[in-house]
Amino acid sequence: MKREEPLWRRYLRFFGPDVAADVDDELAFHLDMRERDLVARGLTPEQARAEARRRFGDVETIRHQLRKGDSRRLRRTRRIEYVEELMQDLRYGLRTLWQHRGFSAAAVVTLALGIGAATAMFTAVDAALLRPLPFREPSRLVSLVSIQVPFAPGGNRSDDNGNTPDLVSVRAMTDLFEQAATYAFGGLNLAGDGEPLRVAVGVVTPNLFTTLGVAPAVGRGFSQEEERPGSARTVILSHGLWQRRFGGDSVLGRRLELSGKTYEIIGVMPRGFGFPQRSDLWIPLTVPTTFESFDAFRGWLPSESIARLRDGVSPEAAAARLRDAWLRLPAEQRRYRNNAEQVPFVPFQAALAGNRQKPLLVLLGATTLLLLIGCANVTNLMLVRASARRREIAMRAVLGASRGRLVRQLLTESLLLSGAGALGGIAIAFAGLGVMRLLLPVEMQSVAPATVDLRVLGFAVLLAGLTGLLFGLWPAFGAARTDVNETMKSGGHASNHRGAGRLRRALVVFELAVALTLLSGAGLMLRSLGALLAVDPGFEPGRVGALEMTFARGTGPGAGAARLRVMSDALDRLAAMPGIEAAGIVNDLPLKGGVSVSVRAEGASEAAETPFARYLQASAGYFQALGIPLISGRLMTPADTDSAPKVMVINQTLARTVWPGQNPLGKRIHGFGPPGGPPEFRTVIGVVGDVRDGGLDNDAPLPQMYFPVYEQYPINVSLVARGTLDTRSLLGSLRRAVAEADPRQAVYNVRTMDEVVAASVAQRRTNTQLITAFSAAALLLAIVGVYGVVAYGVAQRRRELGIRAALGATSSDLARLVAREGLAMAVAGVVLGLAGAYACSRVIASMLYGVTPTDAATFVLAPSLLLVLVVGATLVPARRAARLDPTEVMRAD
Amino acid sequence: MPEPVDLLRGTLDLLILKALSWGKAHGYAVARWIEQATDDALQIEEGSLYPALHRLEERGLIESTWGLSENNRRARYYTLTGDGRRQLKQESAMWSRFARAVFAALDAPASPAVTT
């Protein structure tokens, strides 16, 4: 609508037509005209006024009606225009992007890489840290520190003063907690028709499921009654085991034989629920625990306790109360309690995420940096294209497109690119789910695995929008600012826009700096992994196979003898097999957790602080099979039975700790006889090398002592063998030896010691591989960025370089001129990047092992690598510049 | 505000279209033309002209522009669109038929004869 109006009103109409004023004007005009005509016919002005209004009718109603109708119409028109323009922009954008397929593909791939990496990492971060756990009011759940179920072999709690920091005392604080439950994760042998099966078992107090707020899908949960020691044995199946073992048939009331005991099936948990870890089934943990509670475990009960805060109780208040209660305990009780009186509990989700939290956030940060580099690269591409498009844009401006319209058009193109990138990124996130699941603690994998859900899709869309604006806004405004006259006059040749060139170089410097930051981080992580793998585990893992088994805990004097028979039989058969060089038994394999007990040397005062030593049971063959050196003395023999004098083999660290500077052979420690009995002693007969326990990244080897396995055959044993066979045959021999000794005995964790070592560093390896992959991608993008800017510079400066050549510059002069540009960017990038790398090393310091955060090798190698690659990327355009033929360049103009 | 679609409203639309068929005009001029052309017989409330004008514009039968009036004031001028011209032709033809039929009926000489 074209209109002429007073100038001042145009300002009011800045945002479009002013409907109300237009209606007022139109009606006022009518009334005035009528009044004037009436006055001309002889009426007085007052009469005319009244008559005009009478003839018009109800002015206010009509005014209102018109205003309403017109503004509705205006809104609709605007909406239609907007949608039409949008469709137009989309069509135009798609056509333009299709016309420049190479550019579009490069941008989309870059963005897909960045968005994909970030989205994939987000799936893991979301699952572990952000998304609430799928339990009832998960924020009220807390993980209690150092709270266990009291142990009472007789079935009654021995110490019942209500003062012991255990599950029973926490439950008694009913004003703070609604419920408190304990769970542990172990394994049992499931007897059946075919091969004996080792199943993963959650041993849980009956109220665990109600505390979490999860109910069985079939049947009932455990009843409080089943918490009492000696009550009927019941079992709840996981959905998976129910399907695998029973084909989903009705199972309630049926019986299962687990490690020689019969359990009645009372329920099945919902699909996907496996807490803690990936449990196949659950049995009750009694309160108090008895010897029977240890059936599913290797010598100790790895239990965790949780509680649900009562409504209205703040975590701070509850923590303060618990702190007070624990501080009233006698000092020696507090000694083993991991500072529980400082931090009595932590939020459940944080406890589950545990030490995974830091690497997850660091990796998410790394992908964010990668995405930023990708954005910088795409911005560069857009800037190059914007200057190539100046003529087109100027033409559209001449044809009447407003600046806002041009910006919108260009932003639509950016968002189309980032949207396509997001689609690719989501595909990458799907593909990466398998790896992301490895990053989650196993407890979370079993209840809330990483998935691509609406939240994740929303995250990807958000990233697409942000990146689209990030790399689109600057070029769009730059292009919309294009001076139309200038561009049309110059015939649209992309003259080197000084500002744009500087911006492009700045972006590349930024990319190089960020890439170097990531590269140094990856370097430190790789060096840590290298240092870790270089740690001497104390044994030779090559060519050694191992399997684990757990005997049914028989009762009576014959049980131990039965185990001994199976064990010796299996060992004898194994040793007789071809290709087996050594075979032995140990209760706990290296690099895993285990039980430690306090050791008091003969003659040491009872008040003195005693060291702890890892308690192991082994046969001589174990040391031979694993290549653990005997430093002095002798190893145990089958004659070292329960009735023989008590002996033990210790490692060097224990020898040094207890008898520094002395010969430990023949020295004695206090034995572990029943309290009140005659003093019992155990004599050191040999010293062996240190073996890493717990993990390779423990700072120092722990003190260890090995009791003869013949003395008291353990329930849980590992059979190990070294052989000249290939892996498959070696593991096959191990399996066969056990199967021949007792076909009903289940075995599990059949693997090589190399795998045991690898498993102990698996987490760190995954983190390192991911950050290395991210930094490699970042490096690649940054180098592509350098190449792009330098090559584009050469293309633009053809004329200038040609003139220089004509004036006598040699090829190497020209090459140097071009290379200098690349090197200047590289040097700036390295200076900034080193600062970034330093900051990054502070952040990841706690994730490093065996290297300092300012590791010299990393801080020299990473920048050197970057410089070499930048030089390489500069070389190609530099040589092109050197080959310029001046006459040809001149003729082209 | 729902308005009854009555005979008068349809008539008013038709009169407006007719008024504009002579060329661009503002609302007051349309009112004056109707007044004179019908000898003020229809007694239309002038105010009702404007909702009708705006409605016709919304239907795309007429267009409006702002311009200066004969006495130099800002006024909204309406013109007929192509659609409006067609609509005018159709409706006036229909009106003529309708009016002829009514007149014919009024002038009929005899009472209705029933034939079988």
Side-chain angles (χ1 to χ4, degrees):
Chain A
M1 276 183 273
K2 194 169 149 269
R3 55 175 65 103
E4 291 138 76
E5 54 191 318
L7 200 59
W8 59 269
R9 196 171 254 165
R10 289 212 183 131
Y11 292 100
L12 290 184
R13 287 158 195 273
F14 188 71
F15 297 105
D18 181 347
V19 167
D22 282 351
V23 167
D24 291 351
D25 282 1
E26 190 171 20
L27 299 187
F29 176 74
H30 183 107
L31 291 172
D32 280 3
M33 292 298 283
R34 174 61 75 193
E35 255 178 76
R36 200 187 286 232
D37 280 358
L38 290 172
V39 168
R41 277 200 237 155
L43 270 68
T44 66
E46 288 74 29
Q47 285 168 329
R49 193 179 178 75
E51 175 62 10
R53 290 197 162 248
R54 191 193 59 75
R55 295 179 67 154
F56 195 86
D58 186 351
V59 179
E60 286 319 306
T61 307
I62 287 176
R63 189 198 307 279
H64 179 74
Q65 187 186 343
L66 289 179
R67 279 183 177 186
K68 218 167 90 178
D70 283 8
S71 39
R72 195 188 53 226
R73 186 147 52 104
L74 181 67
R75 276 199 303 275
R76 204 170 56 207
T77 320
R78 285 232 179 108
R79 214 160 39 231
I80 291 170
E81 269 173 15
Y82 181 80
V83 171
E84 272 173 358
E85 279 179 17
L86 185 68
M87 295 308 290
Q88 214 178 327
D89 285 354
L90 280 175
R91 266 198 307 276
Y92 185 79
L94 282 172
R95 202 165 54 227
T96 316
L97 294 178
W98 181 248
Q99 275 163 3
H100 301 91
R101 285 182 282 272
F103 157 81
S104 307
V108 168
V109 167
T110 305
L111 291 169
L113 204 65
I115 295 179
T119 307
M121 274 315 303
F122 181 76
T123 60
V125 171
D126 187 40
L129 310 176
L130 302 178
R131 198 168 44 181
L133 294 170
F135 301 132
R136 177 169 61 88
E137 285 185 72
S139 61
R140 315 276 317 154
L141 289 171
V142 296
S143 177
L144 300 163
V145 174
S146 282
I147 292 298
Q148 273 141 19
V149 177
F151 173 67
N156 288 312
R157 193 175 166 198
S158 48
D159 166 26
D160 214 3
N161 54 17
N163 223 343
T164 324
D166 60 22
L167 185 72
V168 175
S169 14
V170 173
R171 279 181 176 175
M173 302 176 179
T174 49
D175 52 331
L176 299 181
F177 303 109
E178 275 177 36
Q179 282 181 306
T182 300
Y183 60 88
F185 183 74
L188 288 171
N189 302 334
L190 174 58
D193 353 307
E195 288 231 326
L197 193 68
R198 182 73 178 174
V199 288
V201 180
V203 184
V204 304
T205 55
N207 65 343
L208 177 77
F209 297 141
T210 52
T211 305
L212 294 176
V214 181
V218 175
R220 64 169 177 93
F222 295 119
S223 69
Q224 204 50 39
E225 180 57 24
E226 280 147 349
E227 192 170 275
R228 211 163 37 77
S231 57
R233 295 197 182 93
T234 50
V235 60
I236 294 177
L237 305 184
S238 72
H239 192 271
L241 184 69
W242 180 43
Q243 295 296 327
R244 281 201 305 278
R245 184 85 185 199
F246 299 99
D249 290 347
S250 126
V251 285
L252 299 184
R254 284 171 72 170
R255 274 153 217 290
L256 278 189
E257 195 195 313
L258 292 167
S259 294
K261 289 172 185 162
T262 305
Y263 292 77
E264 184 191 338
I265 302 174
I266 58 164
V268 178
M269 289 308 282
R271 179 199 295 273
F273 182 85
F275 186 87
Q277 312 208 358
R278 292 196 195 89
S279 309
D280 294 311
L281 49 81
W282 292 265
I283 58 172
L285 180 64
T286 58
V287 179
T289 51
T290 64
F291 282 119
E292 198 177 320
S293 309
F294 289 76
D295 279 0
F297 307 100
R298 302 181 67 89
W300 82 104
L301 189 79
S303 70
E304 299 287 338
S305 296
I306 58 170
R308 179 175 288 282
L309 286 172
R310 195 164 277 292
D311 273 343
V313 175
S314 75
E316 295 74 25
R321 285 274 306 281
L322 277 186
R323 210 173 286 134
D324 285 351
W326 297 165
L327 279 173
R328 281 198 300 273
L329 294 172
E332 96 274 355
Q333 274 225 38
R334 270 192 256 152
R335 186 179 152 196
Y336 311 112
R337 305 192 46 75
N338 297 334
N339 287 332
E341 60 275 3
Q342 255 76 52
V343 185
F345 56 74
V346 287
F348 188 38
Q349 185 152 13
L352 290 188
N355 60 6
R356 310 282 178 123
Q357 185 165 348
K358 182 76 173 267
L360 279 172
L361 291 177
V362 165
L363 287 171
L364 185 65
T367 58
T368 312
L369 293 181
L370 175 61
L371 183 58
L372 281 179
I373 292 184
C375 280
N377 249 0
V378 177
T379 308
N380 256 339
L381 282 174
M382 299 281 289
L383 284 172
V384 167
R385 228 167 67 79
S387 66
R389 286 177 77 177
R390 285 162 59 117
R391 192 182 161 79
E392 172 209 331
I393 293 188
M395 184 61 85
R396 297 193 55 174
V398 167
L399 292 180
S402 69
R403 184 170 296 180
R405 189 81 171 70
L406 284 176
V407 168
R408 234 166 73 194
Q409 165 61 41
L410 293 172
L411 274 184
T412 307
E413 280 176 33
S414 310
L415 290 173
L416 276 173
L417 285 176
S418 63
L423 282 183
I426 289 167
I428 291 178
F430 262 112
L433 273 183
V435 180
M436 290 309 135
R437 286 185 178 140
L438 293 181
L439 294 177
L440 295 183
V442 67
E443 287 87 348
M444 279 176 171
Q445 291 174 37
S446 67
V447 290
T451 53
V452 175
D453 56 7
L454 277 181
R455 290 166 66 97
V456 173
L457 293 182
F459 180 79
V461 169
L462 184 76
L463 283 188
L466 285 179
T467 54
L469 290 180
L470 195 60
F471 70 72
L473 268 181
W474 185 277
F477 277 109
R481 262 202 318 268
T482 301
D483 182 341
V484 173
N485 293 327
E486 193 63 34
T487 308
M488 298 309 271
K489 256 188 290 181
S490 74
H493 280 306
S495 55
N496 194 1
H497 208 271
R498 192 174 291 272
R502 215 174 15 235
L503 177 64
R504 278 199 291 277
R505 283 193 294 277
L507 282 171
V508 167
V509 167
F510 165 80
E511 286 181 48
L512 288 172
V514 173
L516 180 57
T517 305
L518 280 177
L519 197 60
S520 313
L524 290 173
M525 296 284 286
L526 280 168
R527 294 259 299 152
S528 295
L529 186 64
L532 194 60
L533 291 175
V535 168
D536 178 12
F539 59 92
E540 295 157 22
R543 299 197 292 119
V544 182
L547 60 73
E548 294 173 45
M549 54 184 156
T550 302
F551 293 110
R553 188 186 297 273
T555 44
R563 294 203 292 272
L564 172 64
R565 196 174 35 69
V566 175
M567 208 62 264
S568 322
D569 193 12
L571 261 186
D572 290 347
R573 286 170 189 276
L574 193 58
M577 286 182 187
I580 301 293
E581 294 169 352
I585 307 169
V586 72
N587 58 343
D588 289 321
L589 285 174
L591 299 177
K592 301 171 82 182
V595 180
S596 287
V597 294
S598 84
V599 173
R600 187 153 64 91
E602 183 181 13
S605 97
E606 253 180 85
E609 188 131 326
T610 54
F612 276 77
R614 177 73 26 109
Y615 164 77
L616 293 154
Q617 294 162 284
S619 74
Y622 167 69
F623 301 95
Q624 290 148 5
L626 261 69
I628 302 167
L630 174 66
I631 308 294
S632 60
R634 69 169 176 93
L635 295 173
M636 54 284 279
T637 70
D640 292 318
T641 61
D642 199 25
S643 48
K646 298 287 187 289
V647 295
M648 66 174 180
V649 171
I650 61 174
N651 72 347
Q652 289 171 294
T653 299
L654 181 58
R656 250 196 327 273
T657 313
V658 182
W659 297 281
Q662 305 171 46
N663 179 7
L665 293 182
K667 291 278 193 300
R668 304 201 300 173
I669 62 162
H670 284 271
F672 303 92
E680 199 188 280
F681 293 99
R682 189 172 282 270
T683 312
V684 176
I685 56 167
V687 178
V688 294
D690 292 336
V691 171
R692 289 288 174 151
D693 231 333
L696 286 177
D697 51 359
N698 278 357
D699 285 336
L702 298 171
Q704 292 161 326
M705 55 187 183
Y706 300 89
F707 290 11
V709 77
Y710 315 100
E711 200 180 273
Q712 186 186 34
Y713 257 94
I715 303 288
N716 298 286
V717 292
S718 297
L719 195 58
V720 295
R722 172 182 296 275
T724 53
L725 307 165
D726 62 284
T727 304
R728 240 180 100 113
S729 321
L730 181 61
L731 298 181
S733 302
L734 279 162
R735 276 180 192 279
R736 209 165 55 245
V738 177
E740 283 171 8
D742 180 1
R744 297 192 59 238
Q745 178 60 46
V747 298
Y748 54 99
N749 287 346
V750 185
R751 51 186 175 169
T752 63
M753 285 308 288
D754 279 326
E755 288 174 296
V756 172
V757 174
S760 77
V761 297
Q763 186 63 34
R764 196 181 280 270
R765 190 189 296 270
T766 311
N767 293 342
T768 306
Q769 284 168 344
L770 279 173
I771 200 164
T772 305
F774 295 153
S775 65
L779 189 60
L780 180 74
L781 289 181
I783 295 302
V784 168
V786 173
Y787 171 79
V789 164
V790 176
Y792 182 68
V794 169
Q796 274 194 327
R797 289 166 68 189
R798 268 176 73 87
R799 199 179 144 84
E800 177 209 327
L801 293 171
I803 292 174
R804 281 177 192 265
L807 292 179
T810 64
S811 341
S812 55
D813 286 340
L814 294 182
R816 210 170 307 134
L817 197 67
V818 170
R820 202 184 297 146
E821 187 184 4
L823 274 182
M825 290 190 287
V827 169
V830 164
V831 170
L832 288 174
L834 281 177
Y838 180 75
C840 160
S841 70
R842 297 282 123 192
V843 173
I844 63 171
S846 66
M847 290 165 62
L848 300 180
Y849 174 83
V851 290
T852 55
T854 49
D855 179 49
T858 304
F859 278 76
V860 170
L861 280 178
S864 311
L865 177 63
L866 190 78
L867 283 174
V868 166
L869 288 176
V870 168
V871 169
T874 316
L875 230 47
V876 180
R879 283 178 52 189
R880 198 177 301 147
R883 281 204 309 270
L884 269 183
D885 179 354
T887 49
E888 200 180 311
V889 174
M890 297 307 192
R891 211 176 300 129
D893 265 354
Chain B
M1 165 178 346
E3 294 160 79
V5 180
D6 53 1
L7 181 64
L8 191 62
R9 176 165 145 186
T11 317
L12 185 58
D13 286 358
L14 181 59
L15 290 176
I16 290 172
L17 293 179
K18 186 66 186 173
L20 291 176
S21 70
W22 311 117
K24 181 164 132 172
H26 48 64
Y28 183 64
V30 172
R32 287 289 303 274
W33 182 84
I34 294 176
E35 202 177 293
Q36 286 161 9
T38 63
D39 272 344
D40 226 353
L42 289 184
Q43 288 289 331
I44 297 167
E45 204 170 57
E46 285 170 20
S48 64
L49 198 62
Y50 287 91
L53 279 166
H54 286 217
R55 211 163 44 229
L56 287 170
E57 186 180 18
E58 193 171 352
R59 287 168 59 196
L61 300 178
I62 61 178
E63 272 171 0
S64 70
T65 51
W66 287 89
L68 285 184
S69 73
E70 49 279 24
N71 55 0
N72 249 347
R73 293 198 42 178
R74 210 174 87 93
R76 188 171 191 165
Y77 281 92
Y78 295 91
T79 45
L80 217 50
T81 64
D83 277 355
R85 214 166 283 286
R86 271 189 294 283
Q87 179 80 5
L88 173 61
K89 229 169 113 181
Q90 251 175 36
E91 290 213 357
S92 30
M94 208 177 73
W95 253 97
S96 304
R97 271 201 313 279
F98 176 67
R100 262 201 309 279
V102 173
F103 281 126
L106 294 177
D107 292 345
S111 63
V114 179
T115 52
T116 48

